[in-house]
Amino acid sequence: EVQLVESGGGLVQPGGSLRLSCAASGVTFSSHWMSWVRQAPGKGLEWVANIKEDGSEKFYVDSVKGRFTISRDNAKKSVYLQMNSLRAEDTAVYYCARYYYGSGSYDYWGQGTLVTVSS
Amino acid sequence: DIQMTQSPSSLSASVGDRVTITCRASQSIGSYLNWYQQKPGIAPKLLIYGASSLQSGVPSRFSGSGSGTDFTVTISSLQPEDFATYYCQQGYSTPATFGQGTKVEIK
């Protein structure tokens, strides 16, 4: 059974930093793209970033470019999201998801971790 | 960016009803359309990928159709566990974009 478990969320002041982690099990981690998707309170879903199987390609939504960095460690079966210069509008539940390249879908999701940016 | 528009934004239905949700893309996306179900406080769950392929483990009362710009997901006979919010998502180009969601409520 595929399991994705996020950690690292919390309360941070505007301008601060946070690093999210996502640990995978039950999956051949190094064979799949991975993604982060977020959901602001009471709002819809927003894709944040993707990373290729070997980490050689990364893509970001415009609103986080230059502030967020996605990375992965295939030996640890983990994907990370380094978030810098956080803003109030980054407040959301952040989900780690496995990206299925063939259909552009997200077929497995973690339980999510809440990031709150507030003074 | 490709805009995804769902209709309706919400609907009320009874157990056993046939329910259809529509998703329209701002440009052609072929069959790169996926549907998700989300219940409060829980991560989204992939229901349908590639416009019409049922994800493993998803009940056969769910079906998807469409191509190009217009897509639908249909629940043939609504069950109590189907009351949730449904999102479409295009996987045709980056950035991936989602519809605003359709909340299916109990009538």
PDB file of all heavy atoms in Angstrom, chain A residues 24-60:
ATOM      1  N   ALA A  24       7.733   8.588   1.740  1.00  0.00           N
ATOM      2  CA  ALA A  24       6.936   7.614   0.985  1.00  0.00           C
ATOM      3  C   ALA A  24       7.277   6.188   1.403  1.00  0.00           C
ATOM      4  O   ALA A  24       8.414   5.883   1.759  1.00  0.00           O
ATOM      5  CB  ALA A  24       7.184   7.778  -0.511  1.00  0.00           C
ATOM      6  N   SER A  25       6.261   5.344   1.339  1.00  0.00           N
ATOM      7  CA  SER A  25       6.477   3.910   1.562  1.00  0.00           C
ATOM      8  C   SER A  25       5.527   3.141   0.663  1.00  0.00           C
ATOM      9  O   SER A  25       4.511   3.682   0.202  1.00  0.00           O
ATOM     10  CB  SER A  25       6.254   3.543   3.030  1.00  0.00           C
ATOM     11  OG  SER A  25       4.938   3.847   3.428  1.00  0.00           O
ATOM     12  N   GLY A  26       5.882   1.883   0.399  1.00  0.00           N
ATOM     13  CA  GLY A  26       5.017   1.048  -0.423  1.00  0.00           C
ATOM     14  C   GLY A  26       5.017   1.397  -1.888  1.00  0.00           C
ATOM     15  O   GLY A  26       4.107   1.017  -2.631  1.00  0.00           O
ATOM     16  N   VAL A  27       6.022   2.139  -2.330  1.00  0.00           N
ATOM     17  CA  VAL A  27       6.074   2.594  -3.714  1.00  0.00           C
ATOM     18  C   VAL A  27       7.515   2.617  -4.182  1.00  0.00           C
ATOM     19  O   VAL A  27       8.426   2.834  -3.388  1.00  0.00           O
ATOM     20  CB  VAL A  27       5.444   3.995  -3.839  1.00  0.00           C
ATOM     21  CG1 VAL A  27       6.209   5.016  -3.013  1.00  0.00           C
ATOM     22  CG2 VAL A  27       5.342   4.437  -5.280  1.00  0.00           C
ATOM     23  N   THR A  28       7.711   2.366  -5.486  1.00  0.00           N
ATOM     24  CA  THR A  28       9.048   2.521  -6.063  1.00  0.00           C
ATOM     25  C   THR A  28       9.265   4.007  -6.273  1.00  0.00           C
ATOM     26  O   THR A  28       9.021   4.553  -7.356  1.00  0.00           O
ATOM     27  CB  THR A  28       9.154   1.742  -7.384  1.00  0.00           C
ATOM     28  OG1 THR A  28       8.695   0.407  -7.188  1.00  0.00           O
ATOM     29  CG2 THR A  28      10.599   1.728  -7.865  1.00  0.00           C
ATOM     30  N   PHE A  29       9.721   4.669  -5.239  1.00  0.00           N
ATOM     31  CA  PHE A  29       9.745   6.129  -5.178  1.00  0.00           C
ATOM     32  C   PHE A  29      10.534   6.725  -6.331  1.00  0.00           C
ATOM     33  O   PHE A  29      10.100   7.709  -6.949  1.00  0.00           O
ATOM     34  CB  PHE A  29      10.337   6.549  -3.833  1.00  0.00           C
ATOM     35  CG  PHE A  29      10.365   8.032  -3.615  1.00  0.00           C
ATOM     36  CD1 PHE A  29       9.220   8.713  -3.241  1.00  0.00           C
ATOM     37  CD2 PHE A  29      11.548   8.758  -3.761  1.00  0.00           C
ATOM     38  CE1 PHE A  29       9.239  10.084  -3.029  1.00  0.00           C
ATOM     39  CE2 PHE A  29      11.579  10.116  -3.546  1.00  0.00           C
ATOM     40  CZ  PHE A  29      10.414  10.782  -3.183  1.00  0.00           C
ATOM     41  N   SER A  30      11.672   6.168  -6.642  1.00  0.00           N
ATOM     42  CA  SER A  30      12.571   6.770  -7.624  1.00  0.00           C
ATOM     43  C   SER A  30      12.047   6.673  -9.056  1.00  0.00           C
ATOM     44  O   SER A  30      12.662   7.230  -9.968  1.00  0.00           O
ATOM     45  CB  SER A  30      13.949   6.110  -7.548  1.00  0.00           C
ATOM     46  OG  SER A  30      13.840   4.720  -7.788  1.00  0.00           O
ATOM     47  N   SER A  31      10.928   5.990  -9.262  1.00  0.00           N
ATOM     48  CA  SER A  31      10.353   5.837 -10.603  1.00  0.00           C
ATOM     49  C   SER A  31       9.250   6.840 -10.905  1.00  0.00           C
ATOM     50  O   SER A  31       8.617   6.754 -11.961  1.00  0.00           O
ATOM     51  CB  SER A  31       9.782   4.422 -10.775  1.00  0.00           C
ATOM     52  OG  SER A  31      10.782   3.444 -10.623  1.00  0.00           O
ATOM     53  N   HIS A  32       8.993   7.751  -9.984  1.00  0.00           N
ATOM     54  CA  HIS A  32       7.844   8.640 -10.147  1.00  0.00           C
ATOM     55  C   HIS A  32       8.181  10.094  -9.906  1.00  0.00           C
ATOM     56  O   HIS A  32       8.972  10.425  -9.018  1.00  0.00           O
ATOM     57  CB  HIS A  32       6.735   8.233  -9.171  1.00  0.00           C
ATOM     58  CG  HIS A  32       6.227   6.839  -9.388  1.00  0.00           C
ATOM     59  ND1 HIS A  32       5.296   6.543 -10.373  1.00  0.00           N
ATOM     60  CD2 HIS A  32       6.521   5.677  -8.773  1.00  0.00           C
ATOM     61  CE1 HIS A  32       5.046   5.249 -10.342  1.00  0.00           C
ATOM     62  NE2 HIS A  32       5.774   4.695  -9.383  1.00  0.00           N
ATOM     63  N   TRP A  33       7.555  10.957 -10.699  1.00  0.00           N
ATOM     64  CA  TRP A  33       7.536  12.366 -10.380  1.00  0.00           C
ATOM     65  C   TRP A  33       6.775  12.529  -9.057  1.00  0.00           C
ATOM     66  O   TRP A  33       5.900  11.738  -8.728  1.00  0.00           O
ATOM     67  CB  TRP A  33       6.773  13.146 -11.454  1.00  0.00           C
ATOM     68  CG  TRP A  33       7.463  13.348 -12.755  1.00  0.00           C
ATOM     69  CD1 TRP A  33       7.778  12.386 -13.677  1.00  0.00           C
ATOM     70  CD2 TRP A  33       7.890  14.592 -13.310  1.00  0.00           C
ATOM     71  NE1 TRP A  33       8.372  12.961 -14.769  1.00  0.00           N
ATOM     72  CE2 TRP A  33       8.449  14.315 -14.588  1.00  0.00           C
ATOM     73  CE3 TRP A  33       7.824  15.919 -12.880  1.00  0.00           C
ATOM     74  CZ2 TRP A  33       8.972  15.322 -15.408  1.00  0.00           C
ATOM     75  CZ3 TRP A  33       8.332  16.908 -13.696  1.00  0.00           C
ATOM     76  CH2 TRP A  33       8.908  16.612 -14.942  1.00  0.00           C
ATOM     77  N   MET A  34       7.105  13.585  -8.339  1.00  0.00           N
ATOM     78  CA  MET A  34       6.400  13.909  -7.111  1.00  0.00           C
ATOM     79  C   MET A  34       5.991  15.385  -7.151  1.00  0.00           C
ATOM     80  O   MET A  34       6.596  16.192  -7.874  1.00  0.00           O
ATOM     81  CB  MET A  34       7.267  13.644  -5.884  1.00  0.00           C
ATOM     82  CG  MET A  34       7.603  12.181  -5.665  1.00  0.00           C
ATOM     83  SD  MET A  34       6.155  11.138  -5.349  1.00  0.00           S
ATOM     84  CE  MET A  34       5.587  11.804  -3.774  1.00  0.00           C
ATOM     85  N   SER A  35       4.962  15.709  -6.368  1.00  0.00           N
ATOM     86  CA  SER A  35       4.402  17.060  -6.418  1.00  0.00           C
ATOM     87  C   SER A  35       3.996  17.543  -5.038  1.00  0.00           C
ATOM     88  O   SER A  35       3.823  16.748  -4.114  1.00  0.00           O
ATOM     89  CB  SER A  35       3.160  17.069  -7.318  1.00  0.00           C
ATOM     90  OG  SER A  35       3.451  16.624  -8.609  1.00  0.00           O
ATOM     91  N   TRP A  36       3.819  18.833  -4.959  1.00  0.00           N
ATOM     92  CA  TRP A  36       3.162  19.471  -3.810  1.00  0.00           C
ATOM     93  C   TRP A  36       1.946  20.228  -4.351  1.00  0.00           C
ATOM     94  O   TRP A  36       2.041  20.932  -5.363  1.00  0.00           O
ATOM     95  CB  TRP A  36       4.096  20.429  -3.074  1.00  0.00           C
ATOM     96  CG  TRP A  36       5.177  19.741  -2.311  1.00  0.00           C
ATOM     97  CD1 TRP A  36       6.460  19.483  -2.741  1.00  0.00           C
ATOM     98  CD2 TRP A  36       5.095  19.219  -0.985  1.00  0.00           C
ATOM     99  NE1 TRP A  36       7.170  18.827  -1.757  1.00  0.00           N
ATOM    100  CE2 TRP A  36       6.359  18.655  -0.664  1.00  0.00           C
ATOM    101  CE3 TRP A  36       4.090  19.170  -0.016  1.00  0.00           C
ATOM    102  CZ2 TRP A  36       6.621  18.054   0.565  1.00  0.00           C
ATOM    103  CZ3 TRP A  36       4.358  18.574   1.206  1.00  0.00           C
ATOM    104  CH2 TRP A  36       5.604  18.023   1.495  1.00  0.00           C
ATOM    105  N   VAL A  37       0.825  20.041  -3.662  1.00  0.00           N
ATOM    106  CA  VAL A  37      -0.423  20.726  -3.985  1.00  0.00           C
ATOM    107  C   VAL A  37      -0.937  21.335  -2.694  1.00  0.00           C
ATOM    108  O   VAL A  37      -0.848  20.701  -1.631  1.00  0.00           O
ATOM    109  CB  VAL A  37      -1.466  19.736  -4.566  1.00  0.00           C
ATOM    110  CG1 VAL A  37      -2.795  20.441  -4.852  1.00  0.00           C
ATOM    111  CG2 VAL A  37      -0.931  19.069  -5.836  1.00  0.00           C
ATOM    112  N   ARG A  38      -1.468  22.539  -2.750  1.00  0.00           N
ATOM    113  CA  ARG A  38      -1.931  23.183  -1.519  1.00  0.00           C
ATOM    114  C   ARG A  38      -3.392  23.577  -1.612  1.00  0.00           C
ATOM    115  O   ARG A  38      -3.960  23.674  -2.708  1.00  0.00           O
ATOM    116  CB  ARG A  38      -1.073  24.395  -1.172  1.00  0.00           C
ATOM    117  CG  ARG A  38      -1.187  25.558  -2.134  1.00  0.00           C
ATOM    118  CD  ARG A  38      -0.210  26.674  -1.729  1.00  0.00           C
ATOM    119  NE  ARG A  38      -0.249  27.807  -2.662  1.00  0.00           N
ATOM    120  CZ  ARG A  38       0.542  28.872  -2.553  1.00  0.00           C
ATOM    121  NH1 ARG A  38       1.445  28.947  -1.570  1.00  0.00           N
ATOM    122  NH2 ARG A  38       0.435  29.850  -3.433  1.00  0.00           N
ATOM    123  N   GLN A  39      -3.961  23.808  -0.436  1.00  0.00           N
ATOM    124  CA  GLN A  39      -5.368  24.188  -0.350  1.00  0.00           C
ATOM    125  C   GLN A  39      -5.523  25.192   0.779  1.00  0.00           C
ATOM    126  O   GLN A  39      -5.378  24.840   1.956  1.00  0.00           O
ATOM    127  CB  GLN A  39      -6.236  22.956  -0.105  1.00  0.00           C
ATOM    128  CG  GLN A  39      -7.726  23.215  -0.142  1.00  0.00           C
ATOM    129  CD  GLN A  39      -8.520  21.921  -0.152  1.00  0.00           C
ATOM    130  OE1 GLN A  39      -8.140  20.936   0.491  1.00  0.00           O
ATOM    131  NE2 GLN A  39      -9.643  21.908  -0.876  1.00  0.00           N
ATOM    132  N   ALA A  40      -5.795  26.433   0.425  1.00  0.00           N
ATOM    133  CA  ALA A  40      -6.039  27.465   1.423  1.00  0.00           C
ATOM    134  C   ALA A  40      -7.337  27.148   2.160  1.00  0.00           C
ATOM    135  O   ALA A  40      -8.223  26.478   1.614  1.00  0.00           O
ATOM    136  CB  ALA A  40      -6.112  28.830   0.752  1.00  0.00           C
ATOM    137  N   PRO A  41      -7.482  27.616   3.396  1.00  0.00           N
ATOM    138  CA  PRO A  41      -8.679  27.300   4.182  1.00  0.00           C
ATOM    139  C   PRO A  41      -9.973  27.647   3.456  1.00  0.00           C
ATOM    140  O   PRO A  41     -10.153  28.775   3.003  1.00  0.00           O
ATOM    141  CB  PRO A  41      -8.498  28.153   5.435  1.00  0.00           C
ATOM    142  CG  PRO A  41      -7.024  28.340   5.559  1.00  0.00           C
ATOM    143  CD  PRO A  41      -6.514  28.420   4.165  1.00  0.00           C
ATOM    144  N   GLY A  42     -10.829  26.661   3.290  1.00  0.00           N
ATOM    145  CA  GLY A  42     -12.117  26.878   2.645  1.00  0.00           C
ATOM    146  C   GLY A  42     -12.054  27.087   1.138  1.00  0.00           C
ATOM    147  O   GLY A  42     -13.078  27.424   0.525  1.00  0.00           O
ATOM    148  N   LYS A  43     -10.883  26.891   0.544  1.00  0.00           N
ATOM    149  CA  LYS A  43     -10.713  27.155  -0.888  1.00  0.00           C
ATOM    150  C   LYS A  43     -10.431  25.868  -1.661  1.00  0.00           C
ATOM    151  O   LYS A  43     -10.422  24.778  -1.101  1.00  0.00           O
ATOM    152  CB  LYS A  43      -9.548  28.145  -1.086  1.00  0.00           C
ATOM    153  CG  LYS A  43      -9.722  29.458  -0.355  1.00  0.00           C
ATOM    154  CD  LYS A  43     -10.928  30.230  -0.862  1.00  0.00           C
ATOM    155  CE  LYS A  43     -11.019  31.608  -0.204  1.00  0.00           C
ATOM    156  NZ  LYS A  43     -12.217  32.363  -0.661  1.00  0.00           N
ATOM    157  N   GLY A  44     -10.186  26.036  -2.949  1.00  0.00           N
ATOM    158  CA  GLY A  44      -9.923  24.901  -3.823  1.00  0.00           C
ATOM    159  C   GLY A  44      -8.452  24.494  -3.826  1.00  0.00           C
ATOM    160  O   GLY A  44      -7.641  24.970  -3.035  1.00  0.00           O
ATOM    161  N   LEU A  45      -8.132  23.608  -4.746  1.00  0.00           N
ATOM    162  CA  LEU A  45      -6.798  23.034  -4.835  1.00  0.00           C
ATOM    163  C   LEU A  45      -5.915  23.839  -5.780  1.00  0.00           C
ATOM    164  O   LEU A  45      -6.376  24.312  -6.830  1.00  0.00           O
ATOM    165  CB  LEU A  45      -6.902  21.592  -5.345  1.00  0.00           C
ATOM    166  CG  LEU A  45      -7.715  20.652  -4.447  1.00  0.00           C
ATOM    167  CD1 LEU A  45      -8.069  19.372  -5.190  1.00  0.00           C
ATOM    168  CD2 LEU A  45      -6.950  20.346  -3.177  1.00  0.00           C
ATOM    169  N   GLU A  46      -4.649  23.982  -5.407  1.00  0.00           N
ATOM    170  CA  GLU A  46      -3.680  24.701  -6.238  1.00  0.00           C
ATOM    171  C   GLU A  46      -2.380  23.902  -6.312  1.00  0.00           C
ATOM    172  O   GLU A  46      -1.754  23.623  -5.285  1.00  0.00           O
ATOM    173  CB  GLU A  46      -3.402  26.099  -5.667  1.00  0.00           C
ATOM    174  CG  GLU A  46      -2.399  26.881  -6.505  1.00  0.00           C
ATOM    175  CD  GLU A  46      -2.048  28.242  -5.915  1.00  0.00           C
ATOM    176  OE1 GLU A  46      -1.906  28.348  -4.680  1.00  0.00           O
ATOM    177  OE2 GLU A  46      -1.879  29.200  -6.696  1.00  0.00           O
ATOM    178  N   TRP A  47      -1.990  23.559  -7.518  1.00  0.00           N
ATOM    179  CA  TRP A  47      -0.698  22.900  -7.722  1.00  0.00           C
ATOM    180  C   TRP A  47       0.419  23.886  -7.369  1.00  0.00           C
ATOM    181  O   TRP A  47       0.342  25.068  -7.709  1.00  0.00           O
ATOM    182  CB  TRP A  47      -0.564  22.451  -9.170  1.00  0.00           C
ATOM    183  CG  TRP A  47       0.830  22.059  -9.525  1.00  0.00           C
ATOM    184  CD1 TRP A  47       1.465  20.888  -9.192  1.00  0.00           C
ATOM    185  CD2 TRP A  47       1.772  22.829 -10.267  1.00  0.00           C
ATOM    186  NE1 TRP A  47       2.744  20.907  -9.681  1.00  0.00           N
ATOM    187  CE2 TRP A  47       2.962  22.078 -10.345  1.00  0.00           C
ATOM    188  CE3 TRP A  47       1.730  24.081 -10.861  1.00  0.00           C
ATOM    189  CZ2 TRP A  47       4.093  22.534 -11.006  1.00  0.00           C
ATOM    190  CZ3 TRP A  47       2.856  24.547 -11.533  1.00  0.00           C
ATOM    191  CH2 TRP A  47       4.026  23.769 -11.595  1.00  0.00           C
ATOM    192  N   VAL A  48       1.471  23.386  -6.697  1.00  0.00           N
ATOM    193  CA  VAL A  48       2.577  24.241  -6.273  1.00  0.00           C
ATOM    194  C   VAL A  48       3.865  23.914  -7.031  1.00  0.00           C
ATOM    195  O   VAL A  48       4.529  24.820  -7.556  1.00  0.00           O
ATOM    196  CB  VAL A  48       2.822  24.094  -4.758  1.00  0.00           C
ATOM    197  CG1 VAL A  48       4.060  24.866  -4.329  1.00  0.00           C
ATOM    198  CG2 VAL A  48       1.594  24.543  -3.975  1.00  0.00           C
ATOM    199  N   ALA A  49       4.256  22.631  -7.066  1.00  0.00           N
ATOM    200  CA  ALA A  49       5.538  22.271  -7.665  1.00  0.00           C
ATOM    201  C   ALA A  49       5.574  20.796  -8.024  1.00  0.00           C
ATOM    202  O   ALA A  49       4.892  19.976  -7.415  1.00  0.00           O
ATOM    203  CB  ALA A  49       6.685  22.585  -6.700  1.00  0.00           C
ATOM    204  N   ASN A  50       6.397  20.490  -9.031  1.00  0.00           N
ATOM    205  CA  ASN A  50       6.660  19.118  -9.462  1.00  0.00           C
ATOM    206  C   ASN A  50       8.153  18.893  -9.509  1.00  0.00           C
ATOM    207  O   ASN A  50       8.924  19.820  -9.803  1.00  0.00           O
ATOM    208  CB  ASN A  50       6.156  18.877 -10.901  1.00  0.00           C
ATOM    209  CG  ASN A  50       4.675  18.627 -10.991  1.00  0.00           C
ATOM    210  OD1 ASN A  50       3.980  18.494  -9.994  1.00  0.00           O
ATOM    211  ND2 ASN A  50       4.180  18.563 -12.222  1.00  0.00           N
ATOM    212  N   ILE A  51       8.579  17.654  -9.301  1.00  0.00           N
ATOM    213  CA  ILE A  51       9.981  17.297  -9.476  1.00  0.00           C
ATOM    214  C   ILE A  51      10.062  15.940 -10.172  1.00  0.00           C
ATOM    215  O   ILE A  51       9.341  15.001  -9.838  1.00  0.00           O
ATOM    216  CB  ILE A  51      10.745  17.291  -8.130  1.00  0.00           C
ATOM    217  CG1 ILE A  51      12.240  17.047  -8.348  1.00  0.00           C
ATOM    218  CG2 ILE A  51      10.150  16.285  -7.148  1.00  0.00           C
ATOM    219  CD1 ILE A  51      13.085  17.351  -7.104  1.00  0.00           C
ATOM    220  N   LYS A  52      10.956  15.872 -11.153  1.00  0.00           N
ATOM    221  CA  LYS A  52      11.152  14.656 -11.935  1.00  0.00           C
ATOM    222  C   LYS A  52      11.764  13.551 -11.081  1.00  0.00           C
ATOM    223  O   LYS A  52      12.291  13.812  -9.995  1.00  0.00           O
ATOM    224  CB  LYS A  52      12.063  14.969 -13.132  1.00  0.00           C
ATOM    225  CG  LYS A  52      12.061  13.926 -14.225  1.00  0.00           C
ATOM    226  CD  LYS A  52      12.935  14.357 -15.397  1.00  0.00           C
ATOM    227  CE  LYS A  52      12.967  13.286 -16.465  1.00  0.00           C
ATOM    228  NZ  LYS A  52      13.832  13.682 -17.608  1.00  0.00           N
ATOM    229  N   GLU A  53      11.700  12.319 -11.628  1.00  0.00           N
ATOM    230  CA  GLU A  53      12.175  11.150 -10.874  1.00  0.00           C
ATOM    231  C   GLU A  53      13.597  11.328 -10.327  1.00  0.00           C
ATOM    232  O   GLU A  53      13.878  10.950  -9.180  1.00  0.00           O
ATOM    233  CB  GLU A  53      12.170   9.898 -11.777  1.00  0.00           C
ATOM    234  CG  GLU A  53      10.802   9.466 -12.256  1.00  0.00           C
ATOM    235  CD  GLU A  53      10.499   9.965 -13.664  1.00  0.00           C
ATOM    236  OE1 GLU A  53      10.991  11.064 -14.037  1.00  0.00           O
ATOM    237  OE2 GLU A  53       9.766   9.254 -14.376  1.00  0.00           O
ATOM    238  N   ASP A  54      14.483  11.873 -11.147  1.00  0.00           N
ATOM    239  CA  ASP A  54      15.882  11.996 -10.722  1.00  0.00           C
ATOM    240  C   ASP A  54      16.224  13.399 -10.204  1.00  0.00           C
ATOM    241  O   ASP A  54      17.397  13.711  -9.957  1.00  0.00           O
ATOM    242  CB  ASP A  54      16.827  11.621 -11.866  1.00  0.00           C
ATOM    243  CG  ASP A  54      16.667  12.522 -13.075  1.00  0.00           C
ATOM    244  OD1 ASP A  54      15.832  13.464 -13.021  1.00  0.00           O
ATOM    245  OD2 ASP A  54      17.371  12.304 -14.075  1.00  0.00           O
ATOM    246  N   GLY A  55      15.224  14.244 -10.098  1.00  0.00           N
ATOM    247  CA  GLY A  55      15.435  15.590  -9.587  1.00  0.00           C
ATOM    248  C   GLY A  55      15.979  16.573 -10.614  1.00  0.00           C
ATOM    249  O   GLY A  55      16.271  17.721 -10.267  1.00  0.00           O
ATOM    250  N   SER A  56      16.128  16.143 -11.862  1.00  0.00           N
ATOM    251  CA  SER A  56      16.772  16.983 -12.873  1.00  0.00           C
ATOM    252  C   SER A  56      15.852  18.069 -13.426  1.00  0.00           C
ATOM    253  O   SER A  56      16.330  19.014 -14.051  1.00  0.00           O
ATOM    254  CB  SER A  56      17.286  16.108 -14.026  1.00  0.00           C
ATOM    255  OG  SER A  56      16.206  15.434 -14.651  1.00  0.00           O
ATOM    256  N   GLU A  57      14.558  17.927 -13.249  1.00  0.00           N
ATOM    257  CA  GLU A  57      13.609  18.935 -13.710  1.00  0.00           C
ATOM    258  C   GLU A  57      12.667  19.291 -12.572  1.00  0.00           C
ATOM    259  O   GLU A  57      12.191  18.419 -11.848  1.00  0.00           O
ATOM    260  CB  GLU A  57      12.814  18.427 -14.913  1.00  0.00           C
ATOM    261  CG  GLU A  57      13.648  18.203 -16.153  1.00  0.00           C
ATOM    262  CD  GLU A  57      12.800  17.775 -17.345  1.00  0.00           C
ATOM    263  OE1 GLU A  57      11.707  18.320 -17.509  1.00  0.00           O
ATOM    264  OE2 GLU A  57      13.243  16.895 -18.107  1.00  0.00           O
ATOM    265  N   LYS A  58      12.406  20.597 -12.459  1.00  0.00           N
ATOM    266  CA  LYS A  58      11.514  21.098 -11.418  1.00  0.00           C
ATOM    267  C   LYS A  58      10.638  22.187 -12.024  1.00  0.00           C
ATOM    268  O   LYS A  58      11.107  22.974 -12.846  1.00  0.00           O
ATOM    269  CB  LYS A  58      12.333  21.672 -10.249  1.00  0.00           C
ATOM    270  CG  LYS A  58      13.339  20.697  -9.653  1.00  0.00           C
ATOM    271  CD  LYS A  58      14.198  21.373  -8.602  1.00  0.00           C
ATOM    272  CE  LYS A  58      15.277  20.414  -8.097  1.00  0.00           C
ATOM    273  NZ  LYS A  58      16.124  21.037  -7.039  1.00  0.00           N
ATOM    274  N   PHE A  59       9.397  22.222 -11.594  1.00  0.00           N
ATOM    275  CA  PHE A  59       8.466  23.224 -12.087  1.00  0.00           C
ATOM    276  C   PHE A  59       7.696  23.817 -10.908  1.00  0.00           C
ATOM    277  O   PHE A  59       7.414  23.113  -9.944  1.00  0.00           O
ATOM    278  CB  PHE A  59       7.484  22.612 -13.093  1.00  0.00           C
ATOM    279  CG  PHE A  59       8.166  22.033 -14.307  1.00  0.00           C
ATOM    280  CD1 PHE A  59       8.499  20.688 -14.351  1.00  0.00           C
ATOM    281  CD2 PHE A  59       8.467  22.832 -15.392  1.00  0.00           C
ATOM    282  CE1 PHE A  59       9.128  20.147 -15.465  1.00  0.00           C
ATOM    283  CE2 PHE A  59       9.096  22.302 -16.511  1.00  0.00           C
ATOM    284  CZ  PHE A  59       9.439  20.959 -16.543  1.00  0.00           C
ATOM    285  N   TYR A  60       7.354  25.096 -11.037  1.00  0.00           N
ATOM    286  CA  TYR A  60       6.683  25.796  -9.948  1.00  0.00           C
ATOM    287  C   TYR A  60       5.541  26.650 -10.493  1.00  0.00           C
ATOM    288  O   TYR A  60       5.614  27.184 -11.606  1.00  0.00           O
ATOM    289  CB  TYR A  60       7.663  26.724  -9.223  1.00  0.00           C
ATOM    290  CG  TYR A  60       8.863  26.041  -8.642  1.00  0.00           C
ATOM    291  CD1 TYR A  60      10.040  25.921  -9.376  1.00  0.00           C
ATOM    292  CD2 TYR A  60       8.836  25.516  -7.350  1.00  0.00           C
ATOM    293  CE1 TYR A  60      11.158  25.289  -8.837  1.00  0.00           C
ATOM    294  CE2 TYR A  60       9.943  24.887  -6.803  1.00  0.00           C
ATOM    295  CZ  TYR A  60      11.092  24.773  -7.552  1.00  0.00           C
ATOM    296  OH  TYR A  60      12.197  24.149  -7.022  1.00  0.00           O
TER     297      TYR A  60
END
